[in-house]
Amino acid sequence: MEDITLSAEQAAVFEAIETTRENIFVTGRAGTGKSTLLNHLSWNTSKQVVICAPTGVAALNVGGQTIHSLFRLPIGVIADHGIEQNADVRKLLNTIDTLVIDEVSMVNADLVDAINRSLRQARQRREEPFGGVQVVMFGDPYQLAPVPGDSDERAYFADNYRSMWFFDAKVWNDTSLRIFELGVIHRQHEEEFKFMLNAVRHGMVTAEIAQRLNETGARPAPVDDAITLATRNDTVNRINASSLAKLGGAAKTARAEVSGDFGGRAYPADENLELKVGARVMFLRNDGDQRWVNGTVGRVTRIDSTVRVEVDGTEHEVLPAVWEKIKYSYSASTKQLRREIVAEFTQFPLRLAWAVTIHKSQGKTYERAVIDLGQRSFAPGQTYVALSRITALDGLYLTRPLRPSDIIVDDNVRRFMSQAATVPGIAAS
């Protein structure tokens, strides 16, 4: 069992999930401990809980299954097409007390409605939202948005939904959603920086805030220990490859071991990890002995059957880590949910860390970072995600000044979050 101490507000949310049947949305600014609470829930709940997420990597990170594989749903818009379910899927869906959806902000409204129909159908409770299952969702719509499909899919959403967002699914016309917004930030401690990040999150950056961020970020970046967070993959790959090439000595490649069916190439770490002594690396997993956390940056000091990495003056031996791909199934003998490991990915939990994409920095914490927004920030929430990875204002470096066009907040998110306390059926706590 994981040893996690919850804050008072996290404990209150856990209590609401455990002691009620309410559908709950857990949100909050970056660094408020949503992942900590989800982890605690998965270890300590007394309910039959199934955890799922929209992408393979997100599912791996929370020890769950992707939504599409759990419900056996086709990729793309499902609309009112029939949903096929075999006996195994029906039995599995009948054992669930609580369905947890992580990174729900990436889940579109059509998929939420398909989940609702799947559960009603399998449990033969067609009049009851989600077939009587409690749905608990985690995410921050100010950080990650659903990815639009092709033009036909976009046209379908325009005709049938107020927006693509999960909160505009039709099922919410039939049932209420209780919102808990975690408020205590564990990542940053300076009130000024928290205030600025909140302004970026809500798209309410004043000239004074922009000037303060730009003046702070305009200093030359430290050569040694600031990771670059960039909008584009090609920028990241170029920085990492050129930085690795500048180091002397031969590169060594650690090849991942993959067993079972991983389904595609959505691996949680590099399949072929190229390292040299002196390479800057980032840890991709929390350490059980708390020597490092997901996002800690260090430097490779030795490579043999294991890798030695120096973090803040202390050298650690790093062993390969195993990521387990989970599949839920129903056990006829125990009439219980079974959590089976169907595939494993074994690799050193490291990635080159001169640069990383803003998207992949999600959930990570850095003391210092260079923010490279390229020509422009092109996704809602992208600038907020980048800035909110950093623990303190003096750890911020910018490759160019922030512009008003870099701060993008989706109007649908503003509408949902501002009306959360007043919309019938939706209550903020």
Side-chain angles (χ1 to χ4, degrees):
M1 191 192 117
E2 296 277 309
D3 183 23
I4 298 168
T5 305
L6 295 186
S7 67
E9 66 173 0
Q10 288 170 328
V13 181
F14 177 71
E15 183 76 4
I17 295 168
E18 277 294 283
T19 60
T20 75
R21 310 276 318 134
E22 291 179 295
N23 299 314
I24 288 172
F25 173 44
V26 183
T27 189
R29 290 176 275 173
T32 49
K34 296 181 290 295
S35 301
T36 302
L37 176 57
L38 172 51
N39 200 359
H40 180 83
L41 174 68
S42 70
W43 282 97
N44 295 284
T45 182
S46 58
K47 296 181 175 181
Q48 294 257 38
V49 167
V50 164
I51 300 171
C52 60
T55 67
V57 171
L60 283 171
N61 287 338
V62 291
Q65 196 171 342
T66 66
I67 294 167
H68 286 90
S69 74
L70 176 65
F71 288 93
R72 308 287 198 279
L73 292 169
I75 301 295
V77 167
I78 294 148
D80 54 2
H81 304 314
I83 292 173
E84 291 179 25
Q85 291 175 331
N86 62 26
D88 288 343
V89 173
R90 286 197 299 274
K91 282 176 184 163
L92 166 62
L93 298 184
N94 268 286
T95 61
I96 300 175
D97 295 326
T98 300
L99 176 73
V100 174
I101 307 174
D102 193 30
E103 299 290 18
V104 71
S105 62
M106 296 173 73
V107 179
N108 68 46
D110 173 73
L111 187 51
V112 173
D113 282 334
I115 291 169
N116 170 46
R117 283 176 52 219
S118 295
L119 289 167
R120 291 189 195 210
Q121 181 176 307
R123 297 163 71 92
Q124 298 185 320
R125 293 162 76 171
R126 292 178 186 271
E127 302 310 307
E128 223 176 322
F130 299 109
V133 168
Q134 177 188 32
V135 174
V136 176
M137 304 177 293
F138 286 78
D140 182 6
Y142 286 105
Q143 291 187 59
L144 286 174
V147 180
D150 59 23
S151 56
D152 287 347
E153 283 191 17
R154 286 199 294 271
Y156 172 79
F157 277 102
D159 287 347
N160 290 277
Y161 286 99
R162 188 164 179 185
S163 80
M164 279 185 68
W165 289 89
F166 71 93
F167 48 74
D168 282 327
K170 291 170 180 152
V171 66
W172 304 121
N173 297 329
D174 304 333
T175 186
S176 61
L177 177 63
R178 188 173 179 195
I179 298 175
F180 285 90
E181 184 161 8
L182 299 175
V184 179
I185 296 175
H186 304 281
R187 185 176 292 143
Q188 290 95 13
H189 301 288
E190 304 166 310
E191 290 309 315
E192 183 195 22
F193 193 36
K194 288 184 194 176
F195 176 76
M196 291 182 195
L197 290 176
N198 205 36
V200 173
R201 182 177 194 243
H202 291 281
M204 300 173 75
V205 176
T206 61
E208 291 78 15
I209 291 173
Q211 184 180 355
R212 182 87 169 92
L213 289 169
N214 284 331
E215 281 174 358
T216 304
R219 300 158 299 149
V223 178
D224 281 347
D225 62 350
I227 190 167
T228 295
L229 309 184
T231 52
R232 298 169 56 95
N233 265 312
D234 54 2
T235 306
V236 166
N237 294 338
R238 189 184 69 247
I239 292 170
N240 282 333
S242 68
S243 301
L244 189 67
K246 284 176 191 164
L247 294 175
K252 295 192 176 174
T253 303
R255 290 184 170 79
E257 287 177 29
V258 185
S259 65
D261 176 21
F262 241 85
R265 316 281 293 177
Y267 294 142
D270 293 342
E271 189 176 6
N272 295 306
L273 174 64
E274 254 193 76
L275 293 176
K276 286 182 182 179
V277 170
R280 284 192 54 217
V281 289
M282 174 176 78
F283 287 88
L284 301 175
R285 292 273 288 264
N286 291 348
D287 175 46
D289 296 327
Q290 301 182 327
R291 292 169 298 174
W292 59 77
V293 296
N294 184 358
T296 295
V297 174
R299 191 173 299 280
V300 175
T301 53
R302 215 168 106 210
I303 307 168
D304 39 48
S305 59
T306 62
V307 179
R308 297 191 81 85
V309 177
E310 183 193 318
V311 177
D312 292 333
T314 305
E315 196 176 72
H316 302 292
E317 183 179 35
V318 184
L319 302 174
V322 181
W323 283 263
E324 297 168 339
K325 185 175 180 185
I326 299 299
K327 183 180 174 189
Y328 292 98
S329 61
Y330 172 76
S331 166
S333 56
T334 63
K335 302 207 170 5
Q336 297 275 310
L337 275 176
R338 250 203 326 243
R339 214 167 150 273
E340 295 176 86
I341 298 165
V342 293
E344 289 186 340
F345 179 93
T346 305
Q347 178 60 289
F348 290 102
L350 300 169
R351 170 180 275 137
L352 291 178
W354 286 281
V356 67
T357 61
I358 292 169
H359 190 78
K360 285 211 173 92
S361 75
Q362 192 76 23
K364 308 276 197 295
T365 301
Y366 306 110
E367 287 183 18
R368 282 170 291 282
V370 179
I371 311 294
D372 180 354
L373 296 174
Q375 294 299 306
R376 64 191 180 97
S377 173
F378 47 82
Q382 197 171 47
T383 302
Y384 172 62
V385 170
L387 294 173
S388 60
R389 299 308 96 204
I390 304 167
T391 54
L393 182 59
D394 70 3
L396 169 67
Y397 301 88
L398 296 166
T399 57
R400 65 160 174 80
L402 291 173
R403 301 190 283 259
S405 58
D406 295 322
I407 315 290
I408 310 169
V409 180
D410 189 302
D411 286 338
N412 292 298
V413 174
R414 276 204 181 102
R415 161 178 56 86
F416 170 65
M417 294 297 281
S418 66
Q419 293 178 356
T422 56
V423 173
I426 294 181
S429 291

